[in-house]
Amino acid sequence: MKNKKALNIFLGVLALLLVIGMAYQFTPNLGSLFGGGDKGTPAMTVNGQTVTVQELEALRQSNPVLSSAQSGVLADDFKTYVVAQQARQVALRQAAGDIDVSRADVNAEVDKIRESNGLTDNKAWTDALQQAGLTDSQFRAQMRDQLAVNRKVEEIKGAAPAPSDAEVRLHYDLNPESYQTDARIVGRQIVVNDKAKAEDLLRQIRGGADFDALASKNSTQFADRGGALGPLENGQPRPVAQVALPSEVGAAAFALTEGGVTDVVESGGKFYLVQVEEYLAPTVKPFEQAKADAQKTVAEQKKNRAVEEWFSGIEKNIKVDVSDPNWKTENPTVAAVAGQEIPYSAVVEQVVQNEQFTSLLGQVPAEQAGQLVNSLLKPQITEQLIQAYAAPQVAQSLKLPMTGTRQEQAAGLVAYGGRDVKVTDAEIQAYYTQNRSQFETPASAAVAEVSFPDQAKATAFRQSFAGGDPVQAAARAGGTVSERGEVSAGSGTLGEEVEAAVFGAENLKAAGEGRVSDVVKVGDRYVVAYATGLKPAVVQPLAEVRDQIREQVLATKRSEAGQKFLSEEVAKLKPKNNLQAVLDAQEKRVAAAAPAPGQAPAGQAAGSEEGAAQGEDAGAEDAAAPADNAAEAGGEAQTDAPAESGAPATE
C-alpha cells in the first residue's frame, strides 16, 4: 500500500502533459522509473536515441488494457501502440531540447511537490522515492523534461497569430448556442417556515387571492417589495436567472414557461411558492456583445492549431529502428486524404482510449473483442480520422475563414453544413408523442410492505387496517413490516408484484392518511402495501416543454445534415481507405506467428521476463494502477473526437 501511495504521488505529477486537447500526451520515461534507461536491453532507437525493452515493457504494463492480451490481433495492436507512443515521447523530449530549464526551476517544482504531499523531511522524501523505485536525480530529470515540453508548447502558442475579424464572426455564426443569454423569469415568491401555512397560502392563491398582497403579509423574504424576485423598476420586478433561486425552487419555477404558480417547494427547511409572471427564453447575444468571448475562443483554437502543426512536423521526421525482433511492428498507412497519410497507429490509439472498448475487454475474451473491434470500431474511427485530416482542405476550398485543430475544423464544417436547418411544429409534436415518458414525473409514495406467511392473515389485515402505525397493527395480526421509504414507480425499489399493486391498481382501499393495496403473493409470503402521500404520475404539457424539444430536435437535425455535408465534401477529395487491406494483412501475419500448442507467444519470454525482473527490484507490480489513474486524470480521447496521432512504421 505504501508503494502504491508513493507511486501515485510521483506518477500523478509526471504522468501527462496535454500538448493539445486530448490529442497528444507526454509521459515520463517510465522505463527509468523501474531501472531501465541506458542500463537496460536495447530494443530500438528513436532518432538515434536508445529505447530499452524495459522502457517499452513498463509502458505496456502501466495500462491494464495494453497488458490484457498476450497474443492475437489485439496483442499486435497494443505492441504497435506502445512503440508509436514511446517514439512520440522521445521525439517530444528531443524537440524541447532547446528549452532552458534551470536547476532552480526544477528545484522549485520539486519543493512544491514535497510540500503538497507532506514530504519536506529529507528522510520521508528519500523513503518515498525509494518506494517508487526512484532516486532524487531521476525524479528531477523527469521533472526537467516535463517543464521543457510545457514551455516549448507555451512558446509555440505564444507565436500563434491573432484571430481575424472574419474568423471570429464565422465562429460566432456557427456556434449560436455558445453565446446565448440565460433564461430568465419575471416573478414573485412567498417564503415561509411552515409547510401547512405554505399549502394554505397556495389554496388562497388558486382561489383568486392576490399574490403580491399575500407575499407582503407573509413572506420572510422580499416582503417589502411584494415578494418580487428582482428589484422593482418602474413598479415591475426585474427579470432574474435561475441561479437566483435555490436549485429545487428554480427548477420548478423555470418549468412554467407559460407562467403560473408552482406547487409548494421545500428547500433548506423553508417552503416556497413562486409566481411566474413572464418567462423570457434564452436568446443569442448580438455579435458586439459576444465578440470578446468569441475572440478568446478563436485565439485558443489558433494556438491549438499551431501546436498541432508543430507536432505533425515532429512526427514526420521520427526515425525508428528496431533491433529487438520481439518489438518489430507494422504501422502501415491506413488511409490517405488531401495529401496526408494516416498511420494505422492513429486508429489503434483511438481504440485503446475508447471507453466502450475498455468495457468490452472486461466482458468477452480478447479474441472475440478483437473481432468486434475490427468489424465495428476501427471502420468508424478510420472514417472519422479521414474527415478530420481532410477538414482544413475542405474549409480552404470553400473559402471559409475557419481555424483550430483538424478536429475543431471538422466540427466547424458540421456546424456549417447544418446551419440552415429548421424545425417544424409537426416535428415537435411527433417527438413529444414518441417520447412522452421523457416528460413524465413518475408516481410516488411512501410505502411500507406488510408481509404474512398465509393469505388469510394478509386478507384479514387488509380488511381491518384503518390507518395509523402499520408496524403495531402488523404485529398484532402476525405480520412483519419492511419500510421502503419514499419510492417512485419504475425505480426498482419495489418488487414487480408490489409495484403493480401500488402504482398500477385503479382502486386502493382508503386507510387513514394512506391507502392499502390488494394482497399479492411475493415468493412464499403474502404482502399488503401501505402507501402514504401517494402522488399520481404527471406528464408535462407540450406547451411547457416545446422550447426544450425544439432545441433537441434542432440539434439532431443539424448534426445529421452537417455530417452528410462533410461526408460529401470529403468524398470530393477522393480519400483512400486501406483499412480492410491492413486488417487482412495483419490477420495473416498474426496467424503465421501464432505459437504451436503449449508454446509461449513470441516475444513474451524475452520482454515479459526482463520487465518482471525489473519490476521486482523497483515495485513494478504496483505501477499499473497509479499510472492508469494518471492517464485518467488527463482525459480520454473519444471516437467522436479523433486524435491526430501516429508514428512511422518501424524498421
Side-chain angles (χ1 to χ4, degrees), residues 305-422:
R305 180 59 175 165
V307 175
E308 180 179 69
E309 290 176 337
W310 168 71
F311 192 79
S312 294
I314 292 173
E315 286 192 309
K316 288 178 182 177
N317 295 318
I318 293 178
K319 176 69 172 176
V320 178
D321 291 305
V322 177
S323 55
D324 188 331
N326 294 320
W327 284 98
K328 289 281 188 182
T329 63
E330 296 288 337
N331 192 11
T333 296
V334 74
V337 64
Q340 302 172 90
E341 295 182 345
I342 305 172
Y344 178 61
S345 58
V347 176
V348 176
E349 178 180 359
Q350 292 298 295
V351 171
V352 171
Q353 296 175 345
N354 183 271
E355 291 182 356
Q356 287 73 28
F357 170 68
T358 303
S359 176
L360 180 67
L361 280 178
Q363 300 173 32
V364 301
E367 183 178 352
Q368 184 179 350
Q371 294 171 352
L372 291 171
V373 166
N374 280 2
S375 61
L376 298 174
L377 188 55
K378 286 180 183 176
Q380 177 188 358
I381 290 172
T382 302
E383 286 299 324
Q384 291 171 345
L385 284 170
I386 289 172
Q387 290 186 349
Y389 272 70
Q393 179 62 47
V394 171
Q396 184 177 348
S397 66
L398 294 172
K399 297 184 172 152
L400 295 174
M402 198 167 283
T403 187
T405 64
R406 295 169 183 144
Q407 182 54 38
E408 286 171 336
Q409 292 192 53
L413 288 168
V414 169
Y416 181 80
R419 68 194 184 284
D420 294 327
V421 168
K422 306 296 181 186

Side-chain angles (χ1 to χ4, degrees), residues 259-306:
V261 178
T262 67
D263 290 330
V264 175
V265 181
E266 182 179 0
S267 179
K270 300 185 181 202
F271 301 89
Y272 292 75
L273 296 170
V274 179
Q275 176 179 266
V276 177
E277 299 173 2
E278 184 180 6
Y279 175 84
L280 304 173
T283 59
V284 178
K285 297 177 184 177
F287 176 65
E288 289 305 318
Q289 290 183 18
K291 186 175 180 179
D293 289 336
Q295 283 176 326
K296 290 179 182 178
T297 300
V298 176
E300 193 61 33
Q301 288 181 341
K302 291 181 78 71
K303 292 176 182 178
N304 291 345
R305 180 59 175 165

Side-chain angles (χ1 to χ4, degrees), residues 450-458 474 477-480 521 523-527:
V450 187
S451 174
F452 296 89
D454 61 73
Q455 187 173 8
K457 288 185 177 181
T480 58
K521 188 174 183 182
D524 59 354
R525 295 182 68 83
Y526 296 87
V527 175

Side-chain angles (χ1 to χ4, degrees), residues 255-259 428-429 432-433 435-436 438-441 537-549:
L256 301 178
T257 56
E258 299 295 315
I428 294 175
Q429 180 65 59
Y432 180 75
T433 301
N435 300 276
R436 195 175 181 84
Q438 180 179 332
F439 308 105
E440 179 180 277
T441 301
V538 177
V539 178
Q540 291 177 278
L542 177 58
E544 289 186 6
V545 296
R546 179 180 294 277
D547 290 341
Q548 175 186 341
I549 293 175

Side-chain angles (χ1 to χ4, degrees), residues 43-103:
M44 66 182 191
T45 61
V46 178
N47 299 336
Q49 181 174 329
T50 298
V51 175
T52 66
V53 170
Q54 288 75 19
E55 290 175 282
L56 294 171
E57 196 61 45
L59 179 56
R60 176 159 61 183
Q61 295 301 323
S62 72
N63 185 335
V65 171
L66 301 178
S67 57
S68 63
Q70 301 301 320
S71 62
V73 169
L74 287 183
D76 188 72
D77 280 346
F78 296 159
K79 184 164 66 172
T80 298
Y81 174 83
V82 168
V83 170
Q85 286 294 309
Q86 189 64 48
R88 276 179 166 189
Q89 311 310 331
V90 173
L92 269 175
R93 289 193 291 270
Q94 292 172 339
D98 63 328
I99 298 298
D100 179 44
V101 179
S102 69
R103 179 178 296 181

